[in-house]
Amino acid sequence: MFEISVHPETHVIKRFTLTLCNHFTVIDKDMSVPICIDGTIIIDGPDTTECETFMVNLYNNGMLIKLSDEEPKFYYKSGNIIFAISDNGKLTEVYIINLAKTDVNHAKKELYLGIEP
């Protein structure tokens, strides 16, 4: 599960928070970033949505959250967030890029805390 906080009037993304994840992989290499359109991302849709897939890949420099098995066709970047969208407008992946080593280590610690012993 993740939360996206947006400005109440402009709907521009203010914060992205990964809150819960039971399926993740830690990959000891840098993440490849797709070519994308850079700009401001505005969220104007439902408050919640279900996704058929929820898998996090944590890399040395970022995170890829896979939300769908559909093939992404378009990539839109705002700051350190990239949204991957399918042909039919479905959000398929979210990239969190340019994470510092301390951020990656914090994410690892939080992900591993969610594992039941």
Side-chain angles (χ1 to χ4, degrees), residues 30-87:
D30 286 349
M31 179 174 62
S32 297
V33 178
I35 297 171
C36 45
I37 298 169
D38 199 358
T40 302
I41 298 173
I42 296 173
I43 306 281
D44 191 20
D47 288 345
T48 63
T49 188
E50 294 292 322
C51 29
E52 62 213 37
T53 303
F54 196 91
M55 176 67 185
V56 171
N57 291 330
L58 183 62
Y59 294 84
N60 293 334
N61 62 340
M63 182 182 301
L64 170 60
I65 304 168
K66 187 166 177 65
L67 303 172
S68 170
D69 292 329
E70 287 188 42
E71 188 69 29
K73 296 291 181 187
F74 309 100
Y75 298 89
Y76 301 99
K77 177 181 175 284
S78 182
N80 288 345
I81 299 175
I82 298 173
F83 285 142
I85 310 293
S86 68
D87 263 342

